[in-house]
Amino acid sequence: MSYYLPSFSAPPSRPGSLAASRANSTYAGARSRPNSRPVTPRAVSTAPTTPAILSRANSKTSEEDYTPEENSEIIRNEKGEPMIGRIVGGKYVDPENEDIDADCGPIKHVDIDIPLTLTEMVKHNDKEYIVLAFATDDKENPFNWNPWYKRSITTILNLMTLFIGLATTAYSSGIDSMVADLGASNEEGQLGLFTFNIACAIAPMILAPFCELVGRKIVYAGAFFCFTVLFIGLALAQNIGTIIGLRLLLGLFGCVGTILVGGTFDDMYEPHKRGRPMAMFSFVAIFGTVAAPIYAGFIDQSLGWRWIEGIQGIANVPLLILIVFFFPETRGGARLHKRAKALRKATGDDRYVAEDDIYTPDIKSMLKASSVKAVRMLATEPVVFAFGLWIAFCWFVVFLFLSVIPITFNEKRGWSEGVSGLPYISLAVGTTLGWMAHHLQMWKYNKLQEDPNVKVLPEHRLYGAMCGAVFLPIGLFIYSFTQYAFLSWVGPVIGLAPIAFGIYFVFESTYSYTADCYGDSASSAIAGQGLMRNTLGAVSPLFASAFFHNLGSQYAGLLLALLGTLLSLIPFVMFKFGYKLRARSKLAKEY
């Protein structure tokens, strides 16, 4: 399934943006452009950030990838002061408004219901505009929503991610009975896993920019509706070709549904508050992927493979209702766009716009960032490639073990199909323990930021990886040497937990370190890593069975353990030499 992908559409603020000076604006001060006028960010955080668009002022991005808005300028009065103001109307008129952002000029009243809104006159491409921004403590600004309301939205997103993750791998438990029923080969059945993952690998690079432009809710609701409906076809399919085609579409709509999750967190949470929701999202994404076979085998054994798909489709319906009727539009720019549209209609002045209306990058630029630049960074940036290879190996192992665990417990020990899915509980436990232990990394990072004598660098993101990710090869070694049928089943089950524990730390360190290293280019870097990760995840089920049967389970597991050991050196190498690699890069952020 798809994983966190930063926003490609969020533009850095225009020069001297009024919005950039507002602590609770949708355009935080960290996004101000180079050459912008001095502003006083009211809550610019130095706390940990999740993969997001960071400061362009500190980026060494080449002009090929970024061209400043040279045709944009602030309109100033005769005294040289920016022409800023406030506007309010209808039921929102209140004497107390005078004290809110009083330094932003006089209040203009209009005959429509509009909350107090800040305005600034700019010239862009030789046209004058009045750009709107949220006033301080505006209740419609997603950053100002009630914390419990934000948590409810986060919970909905995590549940959606969970169900998509479950759909990714639950299918694998019914492959044997499905191909027997449809008269197909096992290899053809495995193609259903391949098509799902290959859709998750390629589709985000093309669809992410389009998803960003139309708003969050319509994408979530539309994609999850199509995702849910497809289970009807999967449950009723009469041939393997239909199954493979529908799995491709399922992967397409599944990854579309999760493309925007990271951007949605950016909409609501200030940087220093994103760490916990992002850690939970990472946990749910991995947990859902490894947990599905726990129950899917019993469903196949008791009701048949079609009910694996049917039950999942039915389970999605309540969440679909929640998304359609209760999930809000989280993009603050979309809300300001509505205000601007209402003001244009009420006043006849077409200059009123939201910042997104005139500064959002064009589709061509975003497609270049999400595809061409992503592949180029994967091929030319050592940091992107190294961490991309590491996380791709982890995803390779996850999908490889969909075939390996049945070999170990079903073939060698004679367990029934349902019972042989229970060892996946160990993977789920390992993922949970990894998420819990990751709080130590967040605590350590926060302590470093609070110390005025410490210069916080991206390498400080790697403490957790250096301590936690080494459990991946440890688990692989344990699993490899305890697969013998004459040994107790306890050994390989125990080995699965550290595998998942280590994988969680690989995911967290990869995305946080890459984001901190590349700033504005992080979205392209992470898109490239996602392509590599999902591609390896897609191909692994195609030869997993042959790999373990022909090489021997113990030696195949040993080979994986040795590769895992080699890759586990990456955080140690980056901790010591990462600053040198960043210094050589034209795209890395300066510290």
Coordinates of all heavy atoms in Angstrom, one line a residue, residues 271-309:
P271 N 4.2 22.1 13.2 CA 5.3 21.1 13.1 C 5.6 20.4 14.4 O 5.9 19.2 14.4 CB 6.5 22.0 12.6 CG 5.9 23.1 11.9 CD 4.6 23.4 12.6
H272 N 5.7 21.1 15.5 CA 6.1 20.4 16.8 C 5.0 19.5 17.3 O 5.2 18.8 18.3 CB 6.4 21.5 17.8 CG 5.3 22.4 18.2 ND1 4.9 23.4 17.4 CD2 4.6 22.5 19.3 CE1 3.9 24.1 18.0 NE2 3.7 23.5 19.2
K273 N 3.8 19.5 16.7 CA 2.7 18.6 17.1 C 2.4 17.5 16.1 O 1.5 16.7 16.3 CB 1.4 19.4 17.3 CG 1.6 20.5 18.5 CD 0.3 21.2 18.7 CE 0.4 22.3 19.8 NZ -0.8 23.1 20.0
R274 N 3.2 17.4 15.1 CA 2.9 16.4 14.0 C 3.6 15.0 14.4 O 3.2 14.0 13.8 CB 3.4 16.8 12.7 CG 2.6 18.0 12.1 CD 3.2 18.4 10.8 NE 2.7 19.8 10.5 CZ 3.4 20.6 9.7 NH1 4.6 20.3 9.2 NH2 2.9 21.8 9.5
G275 N 4.6 15.0 15.2 CA 5.3 13.8 15.5 C 4.5 12.6 15.9 O 4.6 11.5 15.4
R276 N 3.6 12.9 16.9 CA 2.8 11.8 17.4 C 1.8 11.2 16.4 O 1.7 10.0 16.2 CB 2.1 12.2 18.7 CG 3.1 12.4 19.9 CD 2.4 12.7 21.2 NE 3.4 13.0 22.2 CZ 4.1 12.0 22.9 NH1 3.8 10.8 22.7 NH2 4.9 12.4 23.8
P277 N 1.0 12.1 15.8 CA 0.1 11.5 14.8 C 0.8 10.8 13.6 O 0.3 9.8 13.1 CB -0.7 12.8 14.3 CG 0.0 14.0 14.7 CD 0.8 13.5 16.0
M278 N 1.9 11.3 13.2 CA 2.7 10.7 12.1 C 3.2 9.3 12.6 O 3.2 8.3 11.8 CB 3.8 11.5 11.6 CG 3.4 12.6 10.6 SD 2.4 11.9 9.2 CE 3.5 10.6 8.6
A279 N 3.7 9.2 13.8 CA 4.1 8.0 14.4 C 3.0 6.9 14.4 O 3.2 5.8 14.1 CB 4.7 8.2 15.8
M280 N 1.8 7.4 14.9 CA 0.7 6.5 14.9 C 0.3 6.1 13.5 O -0.1 4.9 13.2 CB -0.5 7.2 15.6 CG -1.8 6.4 15.5 SD -1.7 4.8 16.3 CE -1.7 5.2 18.1
F281 N 0.3 7.0 12.5 CA 0.0 6.6 11.1 C 1.0 5.6 10.6 O 0.6 4.6 9.9 CB 0.0 7.9 10.3 CG 0.0 7.6 8.8 CD1 -1.2 7.1 8.2 CD2 1.0 7.9 8.0 CE1 -1.3 6.9 6.9 CE2 1.0 7.6 6.6 CZ -0.2 7.1 6.1
S282 N 2.3 5.7 10.9 CA 3.2 4.7 10.5 C 2.9 3.4 11.1 O 3.0 2.3 10.4 CB 4.7 5.2 10.9 OG 5.0 6.5 10.4
F283 N 2.6 3.4 12.4 CA 2.3 2.2 13.1 C 1.1 1.5 12.4 O 1.1 0.3 12.1 CB 2.0 2.5 14.5 CG 1.2 1.4 15.2 CD1 1.8 0.1 15.5 CD2 -0.1 1.6 15.6 CE1 1.1 -0.9 16.1 CE2 -0.8 0.6 16.3 CZ -0.2 -0.6 16.5
V284 N 0.0 2.2 12.1 CA -1.2 1.6 11.6 C -0.9 1.1 10.2 O -1.5 0.0 9.8 CB -2.3 2.7 11.5 CG1 -3.5 2.2 10.7 CG2 -2.8 3.0 13.0
A285 N -0.1 1.8 9.4 CA 0.2 1.4 8.0 C 0.9 0.0 8.0 O 0.5 -0.8 7.2 CB 1.0 2.5 7.3
I286 N 1.8 -0.1 8.9 CA 2.6 -1.4 8.9 C 1.7 -2.5 9.6 O 1.7 -3.6 9.2 CB 3.9 -1.2 9.7 CG1 4.7 -0.2 9.0 CG2 4.6 -2.5 9.8 CD1 6.0 0.2 9.7
F287 N 1.0 -2.1 10.7 CA 0.2 -3.1 11.5 C -0.8 -3.7 10.6 O -1.0 -4.9 10.6 CB -0.4 -2.4 12.7 CG -1.2 -3.3 13.6 CD1 -0.6 -3.9 14.6 CD2 -2.6 -3.5 13.3 CE1 -1.4 -4.8 15.5 CE2 -3.3 -4.3 14.1 CZ -2.7 -5.0 15.2
G288 N -1.6 -2.9 9.8 CA -2.6 -3.4 8.9 C -2.1 -4.4 7.9 O -2.7 -5.4 7.6
T289 N -0.9 -4.1 7.4 CA -0.3 -4.9 6.4 C 0.1 -6.3 6.9 O -0.1 -7.3 6.2 CB 1.0 -4.2 5.8 OG1 0.6 -2.9 5.3 CG2 1.5 -5.1 4.6
V290 N 0.6 -6.3 8.2 CA 1.1 -7.6 8.7 C 0.0 -8.4 9.5 O 0.2 -9.6 9.7 CB 2.3 -7.4 9.6 CG1 3.4 -6.7 8.9 CG2 1.9 -6.6 10.9
A291 N -1.1 -7.7 9.8 CA -2.1 -8.4 10.7 C -3.2 -9.1 10.0 O -3.8 -10.0 10.5 CB -2.7 -7.3 11.6
A292 N -3.4 -8.8 8.7 CA -4.6 -9.4 8.0 C -4.6 -10.9 8.0 O -5.7 -11.5 8.1 CB -4.6 -8.8 6.5
P293 N -3.5 -11.6 7.7 CA -3.5 -13.1 7.7 C -4.0 -13.7 9.0 O -4.3 -14.9 9.0 CB -2.1 -13.5 7.3 CG -1.5 -12.3 6.6 CD -2.1 -11.1 7.3
I294 N -3.9 -13.0 10.1 CA -4.3 -13.5 11.4 C -5.8 -14.0 11.3 O -6.1 -15.1 11.9 CB -4.2 -12.5 12.5 CG1 -2.7 -12.1 12.7 CG2 -4.8 -13.0 13.8 CD1 -2.5 -10.9 13.7
Y295 N -6.6 -13.3 10.7 CA -8.1 -13.6 10.6 C -8.4 -14.2 9.2 O -9.4 -15.0 9.1 CB -8.9 -12.5 10.9 CG -8.9 -11.3 9.9 CD1 -9.6 -11.3 8.8 CD2 -8.0 -10.2 10.2 CE1 -9.5 -10.3 7.9 CE2 -7.9 -9.2 9.3 CZ -8.7 -9.2 8.1 OH -8.6 -8.2 7.2
A296 N -7.7 -13.8 8.2 CA -8.1 -14.2 6.8 C -8.1 -15.7 6.6 O -8.9 -16.2 5.9 CB -7.3 -13.4 5.8
G297 N -7.1 -16.3 7.2 CA -7.0 -17.8 7.0 C -8.2 -18.5 7.6 O -8.7 -19.5 7.0
F298 N -8.7 -18.0 8.8 CA -9.9 -18.7 9.4 C -11.1 -18.4 8.5 O -12.0 -19.3 8.4 CB -10.1 -18.1 10.8 CG -9.1 -18.7 11.8 CD1 -8.1 -17.9 12.3 CD2 -9.2 -20.0 12.2 CE1 -7.2 -18.3 13.3 CE2 -8.3 -20.5 13.1 CZ -7.3 -19.7 13.7
I299 N -11.2 -17.2 7.9 CA -12.4 -17.0 7.0 C -12.3 -17.9 5.8 O -13.3 -18.5 5.4 CB -12.3 -15.5 6.6 CG1 -12.5 -14.6 7.7 CG2 -13.4 -15.2 5.5 CD1 -12.4 -13.1 7.4
D300 N -11.2 -18.1 5.2 CA -11.0 -18.9 4.0 C -11.3 -20.4 4.4 O -12.0 -21.1 3.7 CB -9.6 -18.8 3.5 CG -9.4 -19.6 2.2 OD1 -10.3 -19.6 1.4 OD2 -8.4 -20.3 2.1
Q301 N -10.9 -20.8 5.6 CA -11.1 -22.2 6.0 C -12.5 -22.5 6.3 O -13.0 -23.6 6.0 CB -10.2 -22.4 7.3 CG -10.2 -23.8 7.8 CD -9.3 -24.0 9.0 OE1 -8.1 -23.6 8.9 NE2 -9.8 -24.5 10.1
S302 N -13.2 -21.5 6.9 CA -14.6 -21.7 7.3 C -15.7 -21.3 6.2 O -16.7 -22.0 6.1 CB -14.9 -20.9 8.6 OG -14.0 -21.2 9.6
L303 N -15.4 -20.2 5.5 CA -16.4 -19.7 4.6 C -16.0 -19.7 3.1 O -16.9 -19.6 2.3 CB -16.8 -18.3 5.0 CG -17.4 -18.1 6.5 CD1 -17.5 -16.6 6.8 CD2 -18.7 -18.8 6.6
G304 N -14.7 -19.7 2.9 CA -14.3 -19.7 1.5 C -13.6 -18.3 1.2 O -13.8 -17.3 1.8
W305 N -12.8 -18.4 0.1 CA -12.0 -17.2 -0.2 C -12.8 -16.0 -0.6 O -12.4 -14.8 -0.4 CB -11.0 -17.5 -1.4 CG -11.7 -17.8 -2.7 CD1 -12.1 -19.0 -3.1 CD2 -12.0 -16.9 -3.7 NE1 -12.7 -19.0 -4.4 CE2 -12.6 -17.6 -4.8 CE3 -11.8 -15.5 -3.9 CZ2 -13.1 -17.0 -6.0 CZ3 -12.3 -14.9 -5.1 CH2 -12.9 -15.7 -6.1
R306 N -14.0 -16.2 -1.2 CA -14.9 -15.1 -1.6 C -15.3 -14.2 -0.4 O -15.5 -13.0 -0.5 CB -16.1 -15.6 -2.4 CG -15.8 -16.3 -3.7 CD -17.0 -16.6 -4.4 NE -16.7 -17.4 -5.7 CZ -16.3 -16.8 -6.8 NH1 -16.3 -15.5 -6.9 NH2 -16.0 -17.6 -7.9
W307 N -15.5 -14.9 0.8 CA -15.9 -14.1 1.9 C -14.8 -13.3 2.6 O -15.0 -12.4 3.3 CB -16.5 -15.1 3.0 CG -17.9 -15.4 2.7 CD1 -18.5 -16.5 2.1 CD2 -19.0 -14.5 2.8 NE1 -19.8 -16.4 1.9 CE2 -20.2 -15.1 2.4 CE3 -19.2 -13.2 3.3 CZ2 -21.5 -14.5 2.4 CZ3 -20.4 -12.6 3.4 CH2 -21.5 -13.2 2.9
I308 N -13.5 -13.6 2.2 CA -12.4 -12.7 2.7 C -12.6 -11.4 2.1 O -12.5 -10.3 2.7 CB -11.1 -13.3 2.2 CG1 -10.8 -14.6 2.9 CG2 -9.9 -12.3 2.5 CD1 -9.4 -15.3 2.5
E309 N -13.0 -11.4 0.8 CA -13.2 -10.1 0.1 C -14.6 -9.5 0.5 O -14.7 -8.3 0.8 CB -13.3 -10.3 -1.4 CG -12.1 -11.1 -2.0 CD -10.7 -10.4 -1.7 OE1 -10.8 -9.1 -1.5 OE2 -9.7 -11.1 -1.7

